[in-house]
C-alpha cells in the first residue's frame, strides 16, 4: 500500500469515527482533507453524505443522495444512506424503497431494521411487527423500535414490555425514559393521573412533558375545556417549542382549536420545515378567525425563514377575499 493510500484509509477511518461520536468540527476538517486526497471515490462521497445527514443539512443531503444513487445504483451503502435521507425528511415510502434495495444488494440486519422502522411510520404494522420480531431474536436493541411500533398500535402493555427490556441494557437513553414515562401515564386510572398532576402543580413542581401530554388529553376528552385552558396558560411560560408543538397536535385532533392555535404558534420556531405542521397551523388560524395574528407571527421569523414570505402573501390574499 502506497503512502497516499495509507493516508486515505486513515482519513476515512478517522472521519467515520468522528461522525459516529458526533465530533462534528473534527469531522468537517477530516472531510475537507479527504476531499482533497480522494474527491471522486464512492467511499468519500458516501462519508460526505453521512456527514450531511448528522449535521441535518437536509437540502444538501437530498441533492447529493440523488446524484450518488444515479452514479452508483449498485452500491448498497449509497442506497442505505439515501434511505436515511428520505427517512429524515419523512418521505417514508421512498425510504423503504431505498432500504429494501440496499438489503437486496447486500443483505444486512441494519437495512432490514430501517425497513421495519419505515413500515411502522407508514402504518403497515403487521409487516413491521413480523420484521422487527425476527430481528429482535438476534439484535436486542430492536426492542426500542418494537416499543414504538406497539405504541403506534396503541398496545401500551407490549410497548412497555419491550421498552423495559431495552432500558435494562441502555439505562441512560433519555428518549426511551421519556417514552416509558409517557406510556406509564397512559395506563394510570384517569383519576390517579389527574390527582398526581394537580398535586405537582400545587407544590410548584415541574410536570414532566410526557405527563403534560396525557393530562391535557384526558382533560379535553372529559370535556373540561376551562381546566385545560388554565393548565396550558400555566405551563406555556416555561414550555419548550418542541413540547408546545406536541401538545398542539393533541388539541387539534380533539377540536380545541383556540388552544391548538396558541400551542402551534409557540412551537413554530422548531417547525419551519414541517409542511403538515404549517398547514395545520394555518387551518387552525382560519377556524379561529386569527389569520391576521398568524401573519404577524410569520413576519417575526420571515427575515431568517425566507419561505414564510410566500405563505404571508397567500394568507393576505385569503383575508382579502
Amino acid at each position: 500500500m502506497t503512502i497516499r493510500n495509507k493516508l486515505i484509509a486513515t482519513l476515512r477511518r478517522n472521519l467515520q469515527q468522528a461522525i459516529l461520536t458526533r465530533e462534528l468540527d473534527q469531522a468537517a476538517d477530516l472531510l475537507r482533507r479527504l476531499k482533497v486526497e480522494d474527491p471522486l471515490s464512492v467511499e468519500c462521497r458516501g462519508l460526505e453524505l453521512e456527514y450531511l445527514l448528522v449535521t441535518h443539512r437536509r437540502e444538501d443531503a437530498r441533492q447529493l443522495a440523488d446524484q450518488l444513487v444515479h452514479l452508483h445504483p449498485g452500491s448498497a451503502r449509497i442506497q442505505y444512506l439515501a434511505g436515511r435521507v428520505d427517512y429524515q425528511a419523512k418521505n417514508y415510502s421512498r425510504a423503504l424503497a431505498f432500504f429494501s434495495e440496499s438489503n437486496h444488494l447486500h443483505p444486512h440486519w441494519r437495512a432490514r431494521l430501517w425497513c421495519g422502522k419505515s413500515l411502522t411510520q407508514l402504518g403497515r404494522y403487521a409487516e413491521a411487527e413480523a420484521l422487527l420480531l425476527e430481528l429482535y431474536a438476534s439484535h436486542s436493541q430492536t426492542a426500542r423500535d418494537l416499543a414504538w411500533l406497539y405504541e403506534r398500535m396503541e398496545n401500551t402493555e407490549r410497548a412497555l414490555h419491550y421498552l423495559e427490556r431495552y432500558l435494562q441494557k441502555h439505562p441512560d437513553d433519555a428518549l426511551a425514559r421519556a417514552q416509558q414515562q409517557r406510556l406509564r401515564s397512559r395506563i394510570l386510572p384517569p383519576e390517579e393521573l389527574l390527582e398526581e398532576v394537580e398535586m405537582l402543580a400545587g407544590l410548584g413542581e415541574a410536570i414532566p412533558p410526557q405527563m403534560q401530554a396525557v393530562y391535557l388529553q384526558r382533560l379535553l376528552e372529559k370535556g373540561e375545556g376551562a381546566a385545560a385552558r388554565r393548565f396550558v396558560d400555566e405551563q406555556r411560560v416555561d414550555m419548550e417549542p418542541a413540547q408546545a408543538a406536541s401538545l398542539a397536535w393533541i388539541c387539534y385532533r380533539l377540536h380545541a382549536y383556540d388552544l391548538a392555535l396558541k400551542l402551534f404558534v409557540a412551537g413554530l420556531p422548531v417547525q419551519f420545515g414541517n409542511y403538515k405542521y404549517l398547514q395545520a397551523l394555518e387551518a387552525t388560524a382560519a377556524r379561529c378567525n386569527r389569520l391576521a395574528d398568524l401573519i404577524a407571527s410569520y413576519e417575526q421569523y420571515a427575515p431568517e425563514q425566507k419561505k414564510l414570505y410566500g405563505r404571508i402573501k397567500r394568507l393576505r390574499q385569503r383575508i382579502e377575499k
Side-chain angles (χ1 to χ4, degrees), residues 111-168:
R112 294 196 297 280
L113 171 64
W114 283 87
C115 284
K117 291 160 78 79
S118 300
L119 288 165
T120 297
Q121 298 291 19
L122 289 166
R124 293 164 58 177
Y125 298 142
E127 296 169 78
E129 183 179 27
L131 182 52
L132 292 173
L133 284 173
E134 178 187 351
L135 288 171
Y136 178 69
S138 53
H139 300 280
S140 61
Q141 61 266 50
T142 308
R144 181 77 173 85
D145 301 286
L146 280 165
W148 173 236
L149 167 66
Y150 287 123
E151 181 174 356
R152 288 284 301 269
M153 295 171 70
E154 299 184 359
N155 189 334
T156 302
E157 289 186 1
R158 292 206 77 181
L160 276 170
H161 168 77
Y162 283 102
L163 195 57
E164 285 161 4
R165 289 192 173 190
Y166 173 81
L167 284 167
Q168 287 173 3

Side-chain angles (χ1 to χ4, degrees), residues 265-282:
V265 171
L268 188 56
V270 294
Q271 297 291 334
F272 294 118
N274 188 335
Y275 174 79
K276 290 183 179 179
Y277 188 92
L278 297 177
Q279 287 292 97
L281 167 56
E282 290 167 14

Side-chain angles (χ1 to χ4, degrees), residues 181-205:
Q181 192 171 52
R182 180 174 67 249
L183 291 169
R184 285 176 173 172
S185 296
R186 287 183 184 176
I187 61 176
L188 279 176
E191 296 76 14
E192 286 186 27
L193 175 67
L194 297 177
E195 286 176 10
E196 188 168 343
V197 171
E198 286 161 7
M199 179 187 70
L200 289 171
L203 294 171
E205 296 287 338

Side-chain angles (χ1 to χ4, degrees), residues 268 272 295-310 312:
L268 188 56
F272 294 118
I295 288 171
S297 294
Y298 277 178
E299 286 175 335
Q300 176 185 351
Y301 298 107
E304 289 77 33
Q305 302 291 330
K306 305 296 185 185
K307 292 181 180 179
L308 290 178
Y309 284 119
I312 290 169

Side-chain angles (χ1 to χ4, degrees), residues 216 219-231 256 258-259:
L216 180 59
L219 287 176
L220 292 173
E221 287 172 345
K222 291 177 65 179
E224 297 186 14
R229 287 165 179 80
R230 284 195 303 274
F231 177 72
D258 60 325
L259 269 182

